[in-house]
PDB file of all heavy atoms in Angstrom:
ATOM      1  N   GLN A   9    -109.842  34.826-156.515  1.00 97.00           N
ATOM      2  CA  GLN A   9    -109.586  34.189-157.805  1.00 97.00           C
ATOM      3  C   GLN A   9    -110.146  35.005-158.963  1.00 97.00           C
ATOM      4  O   GLN A   9    -109.551  35.049-160.040  1.00 97.00           O
ATOM      5  CB  GLN A   9    -110.161  32.774-157.807  1.00 97.00           C
ATOM      6  CG  GLN A   9    -109.438  31.832-156.865  1.00 97.00           C
ATOM      7  CD  GLN A   9    -109.592  30.372-157.256  1.00 97.00           C
ATOM      8  OE1 GLN A   9    -109.864  30.035-158.406  1.00 97.00           O
ATOM      9  NE2 GLN A   9    -109.386  29.482-156.299  1.00 97.00           N
ATOM     10  N   ALA A  10    -111.288  35.648-158.746  1.00 97.00           N
ATOM     11  CA  ALA A  10    -111.883  36.459-159.810  1.00 97.00           C
ATOM     12  C   ALA A  10    -110.973  37.618-160.185  1.00 97.00           C
ATOM     13  O   ALA A  10    -110.748  37.897-161.375  1.00 97.00           O
ATOM     14  CB  ALA A  10    -113.251  36.973-159.376  1.00 97.00           C
ATOM     15  N   VAL A  11    -110.450  38.298-159.192  1.00 97.00           N
ATOM     16  CA  VAL A  11    -109.558  39.429-159.464  1.00 97.00           C
ATOM     17  C   VAL A  11    -108.318  38.954-160.218  1.00 97.00           C
ATOM     18  O   VAL A  11    -107.910  39.552-161.233  1.00 97.00           O
ATOM     19  CB  VAL A  11    -109.162  40.134-158.159  1.00 97.00           C
ATOM     20  CG1 VAL A  11    -108.014  41.112-158.402  1.00 97.00           C
ATOM     21  CG2 VAL A  11    -110.360  40.871-157.566  1.00 97.00           C
ATOM     22  N   SER A  12    -107.703  37.868-159.756  1.00 97.00           N
ATOM     23  CA  SER A  12    -106.497  37.359-160.399  1.00 97.00           C
ATOM     24  C   SER A  12    -106.760  36.904-161.826  1.00 97.00           C
ATOM     25  O   SER A  12    -106.025  37.269-162.759  1.00 97.00           O
ATOM     26  CB  SER A  12    -105.938  36.199-159.574  1.00 97.00           C
ATOM     27  OG  SER A  12    -104.819  35.617-160.220  1.00 97.00           O
ATOM     28  N   ALA A  13    -107.827  36.122-162.014  1.00 98.00           N
ATOM     29  CA  ALA A  13    -108.106  35.553-163.339  1.00 98.00           C
ATOM     30  C   ALA A  13    -108.509  36.633-164.341  1.00 98.00           C
ATOM     31  O   ALA A  13    -108.027  36.635-165.486  1.00 98.00           O
ATOM     32  CB  ALA A  13    -109.211  34.504-163.226  1.00 98.00           C
ATOM     33  N   MET A  14    -109.391  37.543-163.923  1.00 98.00           N
ATOM     34  CA  MET A  14    -109.815  38.593-164.851  1.00 98.00           C
ATOM     35  C   MET A  14    -108.662  39.526-165.185  1.00 98.00           C
ATOM     36  O   MET A  14    -108.499  39.941-166.339  1.00 98.00           O
ATOM     37  CB  MET A  14    -110.999  39.361-164.284  1.00 98.00           C
ATOM     38  CG  MET A  14    -112.299  38.588-164.314  1.00 98.00           C
ATOM     39  SD  MET A  14    -113.788  39.617-164.059  1.00 98.00           S
ATOM     40  CE  MET A  14    -113.661  39.922-162.300  1.00 98.00           C
ATOM     41  N   SER A  15    -107.844  39.864-164.195  1.00 98.00           N
ATOM     42  CA  SER A  15    -106.703  40.748-164.452  1.00 98.00           C
ATOM     43  C   SER A  15    -105.738  40.111-165.444  1.00 98.00           C
ATOM     44  O   SER A  15    -105.259  40.768-166.381  1.00 98.00           O
ATOM     45  CB  SER A  15    -105.991  41.070-163.143  1.00 98.00           C
ATOM     46  OG  SER A  15    -106.845  41.755-162.255  1.00 98.00           O
ATOM     47  N   ASP A  16    -105.437  38.827-165.257  1.00 98.00           N
ATOM     48  CA  ASP A  16    -104.547  38.134-166.185  1.00 98.00           C
ATOM     49  C   ASP A  16    -105.125  38.111-167.598  1.00 98.00           C
ATOM     50  O   ASP A  16    -104.396  38.311-168.589  1.00 98.00           O
ATOM     51  CB  ASP A  16    -104.299  36.696-165.714  1.00 98.00           C
ATOM     52  CG  ASP A  16    -103.389  36.622-164.498  1.00 98.00           C
ATOM     53  OD1 ASP A  16    -102.779  37.642-164.152  1.00 98.00           O
ATOM     54  OD2 ASP A  16    -103.304  35.529-163.892  1.00 98.00           O
ATOM     55  N   SER A  17    -106.434  37.876-167.699  1.00 98.00           N
ATOM     56  CA  SER A  17    -107.083  37.828-169.012  1.00 98.00           C
ATOM     57  C   SER A  17    -107.045  39.186-169.700  1.00 98.00           C
ATOM     58  O   SER A  17    -106.808  39.286-170.912  1.00 98.00           O
ATOM     59  CB  SER A  17    -108.528  37.361-168.872  1.00 98.00           C
ATOM     60  OG  SER A  17    -108.599  36.035-168.407  1.00 98.00           O
ATOM     61  N   VAL A  18    -107.300  40.234-168.925  1.00 98.00           N
ATOM     62  CA  VAL A  18    -107.247  41.587-169.484  1.00 98.00           C
ATOM     63  C   VAL A  18    -105.848  41.876-170.020  1.00 98.00           C
ATOM     64  O   VAL A  18    -105.685  42.395-171.138  1.00 98.00           O
ATOM     65  CB  VAL A  18    -107.638  42.625-168.416  1.00 98.00           C
ATOM     66  CG1 VAL A  18    -107.308  44.040-168.885  1.00 98.00           C
ATOM     67  CG2 VAL A  18    -109.122  42.518-168.087  1.00 98.00           C
ATOM     68  N   GLU A  19    -104.825  41.543-169.236  1.00 98.00           N
ATOM     69  CA  GLU A  19    -103.457  41.807-169.674  1.00 98.00           C
ATOM     70  C   GLU A  19    -103.103  40.997-170.921  1.00 98.00           C
ATOM     71  O   GLU A  19    -102.365  41.473-171.791  1.00 98.00           O
ATOM     72  CB  GLU A  19    -102.491  41.516-168.527  1.00 98.00           C
ATOM     73  CG  GLU A  19    -102.626  42.543-167.398  1.00 98.00           C
ATOM     74  CD  GLU A  19    -101.918  42.152-166.117  1.00 98.00           C
ATOM     75  OE1 GLU A  19    -101.386  41.010-166.052  1.00 98.00           O
ATOM     76  OE2 GLU A  19    -101.903  42.970-165.177  1.00 98.00           O
ATOM     77  N   THR A  20    -103.664  39.796-171.041  1.00 98.00           N
ATOM     78  CA  THR A  20    -103.414  38.974-172.228  1.00 98.00           C
ATOM     79  C   THR A  20    -103.968  39.620-173.481  1.00 98.00           C
ATOM     80  O   THR A  20    -103.270  39.736-174.503  1.00 98.00           O
ATOM     81  CB  THR A  20    -104.026  37.572-172.049  1.00 98.00           C
ATOM     82  OG1 THR A  20    -103.373  36.896-170.978  1.00 98.00           O
ATOM     83  CG2 THR A  20    -103.889  36.745-173.327  1.00 98.00           C
ATOM     84  N   VAL A  21    -105.245  40.046-173.450  1.00 98.00           N
ATOM     85  CA  VAL A  21    -105.819  40.625-174.664  1.00 98.00           C
ATOM     86  C   VAL A  21    -105.245  42.003-174.957  1.00 98.00           C
ATOM     87  O   VAL A  21    -105.135  42.397-176.127  1.00 98.00           O
ATOM     88  CB  VAL A  21    -107.365  40.657-174.619  1.00 98.00           C
ATOM     89  CG1 VAL A  21    -107.936  39.257-174.659  1.00 98.00           C
ATOM     90  CG2 VAL A  21    -107.893  41.443-173.431  1.00 98.00           C
ATOM     91  N   LEU A  22    -104.855  42.743-173.917  1.00 98.00           N
ATOM     92  CA  LEU A  22    -104.176  44.019-174.163  1.00 98.00           C
ATOM     93  C   LEU A  22    -102.889  43.787-174.946  1.00 98.00           C
ATOM     94  O   LEU A  22    -102.589  44.497-175.922  1.00 98.00           O
ATOM     95  CB  LEU A  22    -103.864  44.729-172.845  1.00 98.00           C
ATOM     96  CG  LEU A  22    -105.019  45.396-172.106  1.00 98.00           C
ATOM     97  CD1 LEU A  22    -104.546  45.949-170.767  1.00 98.00           C
ATOM     98  CD2 LEU A  22    -105.635  46.514-172.938  1.00 98.00           C
ATOM     99  N   ALA A  23    -102.122  42.787-174.529  1.00 98.00           N
ATOM    100  CA  ALA A  23    -100.880  42.468-175.234  1.00 98.00           C
ATOM    101  C   ALA A  23    -101.151  42.007-176.657  1.00 98.00           C
ATOM    102  O   ALA A  23    -100.419  42.359-177.597  1.00 98.00           O
ATOM    103  CB  ALA A  23    -100.106  41.398-174.467  1.00 98.00           C
ATOM    104  N   ASN A  24    -102.239  41.231-176.829  1.00 98.00           N
ATOM    105  CA  ASN A  24    -102.560  40.700-178.156  1.00 98.00           C
ATOM    106  C   ASN A  24    -102.899  41.793-179.158  1.00 98.00           C
ATOM    107  O   ASN A  24    -102.628  41.642-180.359  1.00 98.00           O
ATOM    108  CB  ASN A  24    -103.721  39.711-178.058  1.00 98.00           C
ATOM    109  CG  ASN A  24    -103.318  38.395-177.436  1.00 98.00           C
ATOM    110  OD1 ASN A  24    -102.136  38.098-177.289  1.00 98.00           O
ATOM    111  ND2 ASN A  24    -104.299  37.580-177.062  1.00 98.00           N
ATOM    112  N   VAL A  25    -103.510  42.877-178.695  1.00 98.00           N
ATOM    113  CA  VAL A  25    -103.884  43.961-179.620  1.00 98.00           C
ATOM    114  C   VAL A  25    -102.930  45.142-179.548  1.00 98.00           C
ATOM    115  O   VAL A  25    -103.100  46.130-180.263  1.00 98.00           O
ATOM    116  CB  VAL A  25    -105.336  44.438-179.369  1.00 98.00           C
ATOM    117  CG1 VAL A  25    -106.325  43.339-179.710  1.00 98.00           C
ATOM    118  CG2 VAL A  25    -105.530  44.912-177.932  1.00 98.00           C
ATOM    119  N   GLY A  26    -101.931  45.068-178.663  1.00 98.00           N
ATOM    120  CA  GLY A  26    -100.943  46.131-178.591  1.00 98.00           C
ATOM    121  C   GLY A  26    -101.418  47.405-177.921  1.00 98.00           C
ATOM    122  O   GLY A  26    -100.925  48.498-178.229  1.00 98.00           O
ATOM    123  N   TRP A  27    -102.392  47.273-176.994  1.00 98.00           N
ATOM    124  CA  TRP A  27    -102.868  48.439-176.258  1.00 98.00           C
ATOM    125  C   TRP A  27    -102.204  48.499-174.892  1.00 98.00           C
ATOM    126  O   TRP A  27    -101.962  47.464-174.255  1.00 98.00           O
ATOM    127  CB  TRP A  27    -104.382  48.380-176.035  1.00 98.00           C
ATOM    128  CG  TRP A  27    -105.227  48.413-177.258  1.00 98.00           C
ATOM    129  CD1 TRP A  27    -104.841  48.733-178.529  1.00 98.00           C
ATOM    130  CD2 TRP A  27    -106.623  48.095-177.332  1.00 98.00           C
ATOM    131  NE1 TRP A  27    -105.908  48.624-179.393  1.00 98.00           N
ATOM    132  CE2 TRP A  27    -107.009  48.242-178.683  1.00 98.00           C
ATOM    133  CE3 TRP A  27    -107.573  47.692-176.393  1.00 98.00           C
ATOM    134  CZ2 TRP A  27    -108.321  48.015-179.113  1.00 98.00           C
ATOM    135  CZ3 TRP A  27    -108.876  47.464-176.811  1.00 98.00           C
ATOM    136  CH2 TRP A  27    -109.257  47.628-178.163  1.00 98.00           C
ATOM    137  N   ALA A  28    -101.956  49.699-174.420  1.00 97.00           N
ATOM    138  CA  ALA A  28    -101.571  49.909-173.032  1.00 97.00           C
ATOM    139  C   ALA A  28    -102.836  50.071-172.204  1.00 97.00           C
ATOM    140  O   ALA A  28    -103.903  50.401-172.736  1.00 97.00           O
ATOM    141  CB  ALA A  28    -100.709  51.159-172.905  1.00 97.00           C
ATOM    142  N   ALA A  29    -102.721  49.849-170.900  1.00 97.00           N
ATOM    143  CA  ALA A  29    -103.883  50.025-170.028  1.00 97.00           C
ATOM    144  C   ALA A  29    -104.447  51.436-170.141  1.00 97.00           C
ATOM    145  O   ALA A  29    -105.659  51.646-170.081  1.00 97.00           O
ATOM    146  CB  ALA A  29    -103.503  49.712-168.586  1.00 97.00           C
ATOM    147  N   SER A  30    -103.568  52.405-170.329  1.00 96.00           N
ATOM    148  CA  SER A  30    -104.005  53.798-170.436  1.00 96.00           C
ATOM    149  C   SER A  30    -104.773  54.084-171.722  1.00 96.00           C
ATOM    150  O   SER A  30    -105.442  55.118-171.836  1.00 96.00           O
ATOM    151  CB  SER A  30    -102.795  54.730-170.340  1.00 96.00           C
ATOM    152  OG  SER A  30    -101.853  54.430-171.368  1.00 96.00           O
ATOM    153  N   ASP A  31    -104.685  53.171-172.702  1.00 97.00           N
ATOM    154  CA  ASP A  31    -105.420  53.340-173.959  1.00 97.00           C
ATOM    155  C   ASP A  31    -106.892  52.977-173.821  1.00 97.00           C
ATOM    156  O   ASP A  31    -107.718  53.377-174.651  1.00 97.00           O
ATOM    157  CB  ASP A  31    -104.824  52.459-175.060  1.00 97.00           C
ATOM    158  CG  ASP A  31    -103.414  52.868-175.460  1.00 97.00           C
ATOM    159  OD1 ASP A  31    -103.117  54.077-175.395  1.00 97.00           O
ATOM    160  OD2 ASP A  31    -102.625  51.981-175.828  1.00 97.00           O
ATOM    161  N   VAL A  32    -107.242  52.193-172.797  1.00 98.00           N
ATOM    162  CA  VAL A  32    -108.593  51.653-172.674  1.00 98.00           C
ATOM    163  C   VAL A  32    -109.584  52.757-172.310  1.00 98.00           C
ATOM    164  O   VAL A  32    -109.382  53.505-171.352  1.00 98.00           O
ATOM    165  CB  VAL A  32    -108.634  50.536-171.608  1.00 98.00           C
ATOM    166  CG1 VAL A  32    -110.061  50.035-171.404  1.00 98.00           C
ATOM    167  CG2 VAL A  32    -107.709  49.384-172.013  1.00 98.00           C
ATOM    168  N   ASP A  33    -110.649  52.836-173.095  1.00 97.00           N
ATOM    169  CA  ASP A  33    -111.699  53.824-172.842  1.00 97.00           C
ATOM    170  C   ASP A  33    -112.800  53.274-171.961  1.00 97.00           C
ATOM    171  O   ASP A  33    -113.496  54.034-171.280  1.00 97.00           O
ATOM    172  CB  ASP A  33    -112.306  54.295-174.171  1.00 97.00           C
ATOM    173  CG  ASP A  33    -111.293  54.990-175.064  1.00 97.00           C
ATOM    174  OD1 ASP A  33    -110.755  56.028-174.635  1.00 97.00           O
ATOM    175  OD2 ASP A  33    -111.029  54.489-176.173  1.00 97.00           O
ATOM    176  N   SER A  34    -112.992  51.948-171.980  1.00 97.00           N
ATOM    177  CA  SER A  34    -114.101  51.344-171.226  1.00 97.00           C
ATOM    178  C   SER A  34    -113.730  49.932-170.809  1.00 97.00           C
ATOM    179  O   SER A  34    -113.366  49.109-171.648  1.00 97.00           O
ATOM    180  CB  SER A  34    -115.367  51.314-172.082  1.00 97.00           C
ATOM    181  OG  SER A  34    -116.422  50.652-171.418  1.00 97.00           O
ATOM    182  N   LEU A  35    -113.823  49.662-169.502  1.00 98.00           N
ATOM    183  CA  LEU A  35    -113.646  48.315-168.966  1.00 98.00           C
ATOM    184  C   LEU A  35    -115.017  47.802-168.559  1.00 98.00           C
ATOM    185  O   LEU A  35    -115.637  48.334-167.639  1.00 98.00           O
ATOM    186  CB  LEU A  35    -112.713  48.332-167.752  1.00 98.00           C
ATOM    187  CG  LEU A  35    -112.580  47.016-166.978  1.00 98.00           C
ATOM    188  CD1 LEU A  35    -111.932  45.937-167.843  1.00 98.00           C
ATOM    189  CD2 LEU A  35    -111.802  47.224-165.688  1.00 98.00           C
ATOM    190  N   VAL A  36    -115.493  46.781-169.268  1.00 98.00           N
ATOM    191  CA  VAL A  36    -116.795  46.194-168.956  1.00 98.00           C
ATOM    192  C   VAL A  36    -116.535  44.828-168.335  1.00 98.00           C
ATOM    193  O   VAL A  36    -116.456  43.819-169.022  1.00 98.00           O
ATOM    194  CB  VAL A  36    -117.696  46.074-170.199  1.00 98.00           C
ATOM    195  CG1 VAL A  36    -119.120  45.697-169.786  1.00 98.00           C
ATOM    196  CG2 VAL A  36    -117.718  47.372-170.992  1.00 98.00           C
ATOM    197  N   ALA A  37    -116.367  44.835-167.020  1.00 98.00           N
ATOM    198  CA  ALA A  37    -116.135  43.600-166.289  1.00 98.00           C
ATOM    199  C   ALA A  37    -117.465  43.033-165.807  1.00 98.00           C
ATOM    200  O   ALA A  37    -118.442  43.777-165.639  1.00 98.00           O
ATOM    201  CB  ALA A  37    -115.203  43.848-165.104  1.00 98.00           C
ATOM    202  N   HIS A  38    -117.486  41.721-165.596  1.00 97.00           N
ATOM    203  CA  HIS A  38    -118.685  41.095-165.041  1.00 97.00           C
ATOM    204  C   HIS A  38    -119.114  41.845-163.791  1.00 97.00           C
ATOM    205  O   HIS A  38    -118.309  42.103-162.887  1.00 97.00           O
ATOM    206  CB  HIS A  38    -118.414  39.633-164.727  1.00 97.00           C
ATOM    207  CG  HIS A  38    -119.465  38.996-163.878  1.00 97.00           C
ATOM    208  ND1 HIS A  38    -120.799  39.023-164.210  1.00 97.00           N
ATOM    209  CD2 HIS A  38    -119.380  38.346-162.690  1.00 97.00           C
ATOM    210  CE1 HIS A  38    -121.491  38.411-163.264  1.00 97.00           C
ATOM    211  NE2 HIS A  38    -120.648  37.993-162.327  1.00 97.00           N
ATOM    212  N   GLN A  39    -120.396  42.180-163.731  1.00 97.00           N
ATOM    213  CA  GLN A  39    -120.929  43.025-162.667  1.00 97.00           C
ATOM    214  C   GLN A  39    -121.292  42.191-161.441  1.00 97.00           C
ATOM    215  O   GLN A  39    -122.456  41.998-161.099  1.00 97.00           O
ATOM    216  CB  GLN A  39    -122.147  43.785-163.181  1.00 97.00           C
ATOM    217  CG  GLN A  39    -121.888  44.583-164.440  1.00 97.00           C
ATOM    218  CD  GLN A  39    -121.122  45.864-164.187  1.00 97.00           C
ATOM    219  OE1 GLN A  39    -121.583  46.750-163.473  1.00 97.00           O
ATOM    220  NE2 GLN A  39    -119.939  45.975-164.771  1.00 97.00           N
ATOM    221  N   ALA A  40    -120.256  41.719-160.748  1.00 94.00           N
ATOM    222  CA  ALA A  40    -120.468  40.860-159.584  1.00 94.00           C
ATOM    223  C   ALA A  40    -120.471  41.652-158.292  1.00 94.00           C
ATOM    224  O   ALA A  40    -121.272  41.382-157.389  1.00 94.00           O
ATOM    225  CB  ALA A  40    -119.387  39.788-159.523  1.00 94.00           C
ATOM    226  N   ASN A  41    -119.578  42.612-158.211  1.00 93.00           N
ATOM    227  CA  ASN A  41    -119.315  43.281-156.949  1.00 93.00           C
ATOM    228  C   ASN A  41    -118.482  44.519-157.279  1.00 93.00           C
ATOM    229  O   ASN A  41    -117.520  44.440-158.040  1.00 93.00           O
ATOM    230  CB  ASN A  41    -118.541  42.307-156.044  1.00 93.00           C
ATOM    231  CG  ASN A  41    -118.155  42.881-154.723  1.00 93.00           C
ATOM    232  OD1 ASN A  41    -117.457  43.878-154.639  1.00 93.00           O
ATOM    233  ND2 ASN A  41    -118.581  42.214-153.658  1.00 93.00           N
ATOM    234  N   LEU A  42    -118.842  45.660-156.723  1.00 95.00           N
ATOM    235  CA  LEU A  42    -118.141  46.900-157.047  1.00 95.00           C
ATOM    236  C   LEU A  42    -116.673  46.834-156.636  1.00 95.00           C
ATOM    237  O   LEU A  42    -115.794  47.357-157.335  1.00 95.00           O
ATOM    238  CB  LEU A  42    -118.821  48.085-156.361  1.00 95.00           C
ATOM    239  CG  LEU A  42    -118.272  49.472-156.711  1.00 95.00           C
ATOM    240  CD1 LEU A  42    -118.355  49.734-158.202  1.00 95.00           C
ATOM    241  CD2 LEU A  42    -119.015  50.549-155.922  1.00 95.00           C
ATOM    242  N   ARG A  43    -116.384  46.158-155.536  1.00 94.00           N
ATOM    243  CA  ARG A  43    -114.997  46.050-155.102  1.00 94.00           C
ATOM    244  C   ARG A  43    -114.166  45.240-156.100  1.00 94.00           C
ATOM    245  O   ARG A  43    -112.992  45.541-156.336  1.00 94.00           O
ATOM    246  CB  ARG A  43    -114.926  45.416-153.717  1.00 94.00           C
ATOM    247  CG  ARG A  43    -115.477  46.306-152.598  1.00 94.00           C
ATOM    248  CD  ARG A  43    -115.278  45.640-151.248  1.00 94.00           C
ATOM    249  NE  ARG A  43    -115.990  44.371-151.165  1.00 94.00           N
ATOM    250  CZ  ARG A  43    -115.623  43.347-150.406  1.00 94.00           C
ATOM    251  NH1 ARG A  43    -114.499  43.413-149.698  1.00 94.00           N
ATOM    252  NH2 ARG A  43    -116.342  42.242-150.366  1.00 94.00           N
ATOM    253  N   ILE A  44    -114.775  44.206-156.682  1.00 96.00           N
ATOM    254  CA  ILE A  44    -114.064  43.424-157.700  1.00 96.00           C
ATOM    255  C   ILE A  44    -113.783  44.291-158.926  1.00 96.00           C
ATOM    256  O   ILE A  44    -112.670  44.282-159.466  1.00 96.00           O
ATOM    257  CB  ILE A  44    -114.862  42.171-158.094  1.00 96.00           C
ATOM    258  CG1 ILE A  44    -114.892  41.165-156.935  1.00 96.00           C
ATOM    259  CG2 ILE A  44    -114.258  41.515-159.336  1.00 96.00           C
ATOM    260  CD1 ILE A  44    -115.699  39.918-157.225  1.00 96.00           C
ATOM    261  N   LEU A  45    -114.776  45.061-159.367  1.00 96.00           N
ATOM    262  CA  LEU A  45    -114.586  45.916-160.541  1.00 96.00           C
ATOM    263  C   LEU A  45    -113.429  46.884-160.311  1.00 96.00           C
ATOM    264  O   LEU A  45    -112.545  47.034-161.167  1.00 96.00           O
ATOM    265  CB  LEU A  45    -115.854  46.726-160.837  1.00 96.00           C
ATOM    266  CG  LEU A  45    -117.153  45.987-161.113  1.00 96.00           C
ATOM    267  CD1 LEU A  45    -118.235  46.983-161.523  1.00 96.00           C
ATOM    268  CD2 LEU A  45    -116.978  44.929-162.180  1.00 96.00           C
ATOM    269  N   ASN A  46    -113.430  47.540-159.169  1.00 96.00           N
ATOM    270  CA  ASN A  46    -112.400  48.528-158.890  1.00 96.00           C
ATOM    271  C   ASN A  46    -111.029  47.893-158.717  1.00 96.00           C
ATOM    272  O   ASN A  46    -110.009  48.460-159.132  1.00 96.00           O
ATOM    273  CB  ASN A  46    -112.768  49.322-157.640  1.00 96.00           C
ATOM    274  CG  ASN A  46    -113.962  50.240-157.859  1.00 96.00           C
ATOM    275  OD1 ASN A  46    -114.274  50.597-158.995  1.00 96.00           O
ATOM    276  ND2 ASN A  46    -114.621  50.621-156.790  1.00 96.00           N
ATOM    277  N   THR A  47    -110.991  46.697-158.121  1.00 97.00           N
ATOM    278  CA  THR A  47    -109.703  46.033-157.911  1.00 97.00           C
ATOM    279  C   THR A  47    -109.111  45.555-159.225  1.00 97.00           C
ATOM    280  O   THR A  47    -107.898  45.678-159.448  1.00 97.00           O
ATOM    281  CB  THR A  47    -109.849  44.852-156.927  1.00 97.00           C
ATOM    282  OG1 THR A  47    -110.435  45.319-155.711  1.00 97.00           O
ATOM    283  CG2 THR A  47    -108.499  44.241-156.623  1.00 97.00           C
ATOM    284  N   VAL A  48    -109.938  45.005-160.131  1.00 97.00           N
ATOM    285  CA  VAL A  48    -109.443  44.599-161.445  1.00 97.00           C
ATOM    286  C   VAL A  48    -108.875  45.802-162.189  1.00 97.00           C
ATOM    287  O   VAL A  48    -107.796  45.728-162.800  1.00 97.00           O
ATOM    288  CB  VAL A  48    -110.547  43.912-162.271  1.00 97.00           C
ATOM    289  CG1 VAL A  48    -110.107  43.715-163.722  1.00 97.00           C
ATOM    290  CG2 VAL A  48    -110.919  42.570-161.661  1.00 97.00           C
ATOM    291  N   ALA A  49    -109.583  46.924-162.126  1.00 97.00           N
ATOM    292  CA  ALA A  49    -109.076  48.140-162.768  1.00 97.00           C
ATOM    293  C   ALA A  49    -107.730  48.534-162.175  1.00 97.00           C
ATOM    294  O   ALA A  49    -106.772  48.842-162.897  1.00 97.00           O
ATOM    295  CB  ALA A  49    -110.086  49.267-162.614  1.00 97.00           C
ATOM    296  N   SER A  50    -107.630  48.502-160.855  1.00 96.00           N
ATOM    297  CA  SER A  50    -106.391  48.901-160.187  1.00 96.00           C
ATOM    298  C   SER A  50    -105.233  47.981-160.548  1.00 96.00           C
ATOM    299  O   SER A  50    -104.121  48.446-160.864  1.00 96.00           O
ATOM    300  CB  SER A  50    -106.608  48.903-158.670  1.00 96.00           C
ATOM    301  OG  SER A  50    -105.420  49.189-157.978  1.00 96.00           O
ATOM    302  N   VAL A  51    -105.469  46.675-160.518  1.00 97.00           N
ATOM    303  CA  VAL A  51    -104.400  45.711-160.798  1.00 97.00           C
ATOM    304  C   VAL A  51    -103.897  45.840-162.232  1.00 97.00           C
ATOM    305  O   VAL A  51    -102.694  45.732-162.500  1.00 97.00           O
ATOM    306  CB  VAL A  51    -104.891  44.272-160.525  1.00 97.00           C
ATOM    307  CG1 VAL A  51    -103.891  43.237-161.039  1.00 97.00           C
ATOM    308  CG2 VAL A  51    -105.134  44.068-159.040  1.00 97.00           C
ATOM    309  N   THR A  52    -104.796  46.083-163.176  1.00 98.00           N
ATOM    310  CA  THR A  52    -104.417  46.158-164.585  1.00 98.00           C
ATOM    311  C   THR A  52    -103.925  47.530-164.999  1.00 98.00           C
ATOM    312  O   THR A  52    -103.405  47.699-166.105  1.00 98.00           O
ATOM    313  CB  THR A  52    -105.601  45.761-165.489  1.00 98.00           C
ATOM    314  OG1 THR A  52    -106.715  46.637-165.225  1.00 98.00           O
ATOM    315  CG2 THR A  52    -106.015  44.318-165.250  1.00 98.00           C
ATOM    316  N   GLY A  53    -104.101  48.521-164.135  1.00 97.00           N
ATOM    317  CA  GLY A  53    -103.658  49.870-164.463  1.00 97.00           C
ATOM    318  C   GLY A  53    -104.664  50.684-165.244  1.00 97.00           C
ATOM    319  O   GLY A  53    -104.360  51.799-165.700  1.00 97.00           O
ATOM    320  N   ILE A  54    -105.874  50.169-165.387  1.00 97.00           N
ATOM    321  CA  ILE A  54    -106.944  50.915-166.048  1.00 97.00           C
ATOM    322  C   ILE A  54    -107.603  51.818-165.002  1.00 97.00           C
ATOM    323  O   ILE A  54    -107.987  51.340-163.936  1.00 97.00           O
ATOM    324  CB  ILE A  54    -107.982  49.956-166.663  1.00 97.00           C
ATOM    325  CG1 ILE A  54    -107.325  49.073-167.732  1.00 97.00           C
ATOM    326  CG2 ILE A  54    -109.154  50.728-167.268  1.00 97.00           C
ATOM    327  CD1 ILE A  54    -108.216  47.953-168.236  1.00 97.00           C
TER     328      ILE A  54
END
């Protein structure tokens, strides 16, 4: 659920500001688990 919810939220704010995933310089996700961080990045294209 964390991966799904965070990925959806990231895509929402990216759309709101008109950024592509490739535009992002820094993804600061909640530091719960390294696998979650990497999976959120992968799903969102960052």
Side-chain angles (χ1 to χ4, degrees):
Q9 292 204 23
V11 168
S12 176
M14 287 195 285
S15 298
D16 287 348
S17 295
V18 168
E19 290 168 355
T20 296
V21 292
L22 285 175
N24 287 347
V25 294
W27 297 347
S30 58
D31 294 328
V32 176
D33 298 299
S34 176
L35 172 65
V36 190
H38 167 54
Q39 305 284 298
N41 178 301
L42 185 58
R43 291 184 299 152
I44 291 178
L45 301 186
N46 291 338
T47 305
V48 170
S50 176
V51 170
T52 58
I54 298 171

